[in-house]
Amino acid sequence: MSAVVTTQDPDVIAAEHHDGLPFDRGTHDRLLRMSPLRGSRIAHAAAPVTLEASALESQLAEARATIAEQRERIAYLESLSMTDELTGLLNRRGFFSHFRREIAAARRQRAKGNGKGGGVLVIIDLDGFKRINDTHGHMAGDAYLRQVARLLVGAVREEDVVARLGGDEFALLLANTDAACGAVRARQIATAACRRGVQWNNADLPIRFSFGVQPYGADDREEEVIRLADSHMYSNKAGRRPHSSGHKAARPGARSAANRRATG
């Protein structure tokens, strides 16, 4: 007679289901008590990870926007520090920064064998500007300076630079121009200015200025170029008009003043 044997004997279970490996009763009981692993449980486990990644992406986007805003603000402040508030031209600081880059570019151009590079610096000093301020007031002087700025910008090429160094002194950087052409262009601008004027309270204020021209290239330093152009400008002023009040003629301290500007 045969009999059906039902048993929970661990040895029997081990023999039938575990290929003779040692049976671990504790592991067996834990596995029996576990609920089935379903897809919904996997989805719930992944949800916190997805939310965390989304939060990180949002923070990263916010950080990038903040950095872009700060860069824009810095660029704006730098432009203010380089710009003359009255005329909108480069101020002295902006001019010297650009001039240094121009000479550095000339050095790189020569090193590459692409010619000498460089150009011409023109220093411009208005004639009789103090008299305009004294007679018509500083508002008239401001209007006069703005008109001179517009005239100079309209007389040069897009690649040239126009700056107000301070007071009634302006500078032009004529790129890729030799000394002879630079002198011709400076005379043409001065001649055109003589045909222009500023109307102020029924008074016609003519535009007159003296200028000095000095070429620059890869071997030059900006301080020396400015000193020489300034010296030529004062010589031009002295030769054009007699000394008078309200007029800045050549003076012994002219070169030292030019050096102070160059080191500013």
Side-chain angles (χ1 to χ4, degrees), residues 132-133 135-141 143-144 197-205:
I132 292 174
N133 272 334
T135 304
H136 302 279
H138 289 284
M139 290 185 65
Y144 191 91
V198 178
Q199 296 296 320
W200 186 263
N201 292 337
N202 298 322
D204 185 14
L205 309 178

Side-chain angles (χ1 to χ4, degrees), residues 1 10 18 25 33 36 63 68 88 103 105-106 111 128 142 149 153 155 179 185 190 195 201 205 231 250:
M1 184 175 84
H18 295 279
R25 184 57 178 267
R33 289 195 298 269
I103 292 180
D142 288 349
V153 169
R185 290 181 62 190
R195 304 190 186 102
N201 292 337
L205 309 178
S231 178

Side-chain angles (χ1 to χ4, degrees), residues 111-145:
K112 293 178 179 179
N114 297 329
K116 296 181 179 180
V120 171
L121 168 67
V122 181
I123 294 290
I124 292 174
D125 191 86
L126 302 181
D127 295 333
F129 181 71
K130 183 178 182 299
R131 186 164 56 249
I132 292 174
N133 272 334
D134 293 344
T135 304
H136 302 279
H138 289 284
M139 290 185 65
D142 288 349
Y144 191 91
L145 291 172

Side-chain angles (χ1 to χ4, degrees), residues 87-106:
T87 62
L89 302 176
L90 287 178
N91 60 15
R92 184 174 66 176
R93 179 180 178 183
F95 168 77
F96 280 103
S97 176
H98 190 90
F99 197 12
R100 293 185 187 103
R101 292 198 300 271
E102 281 288 309
I103 292 180

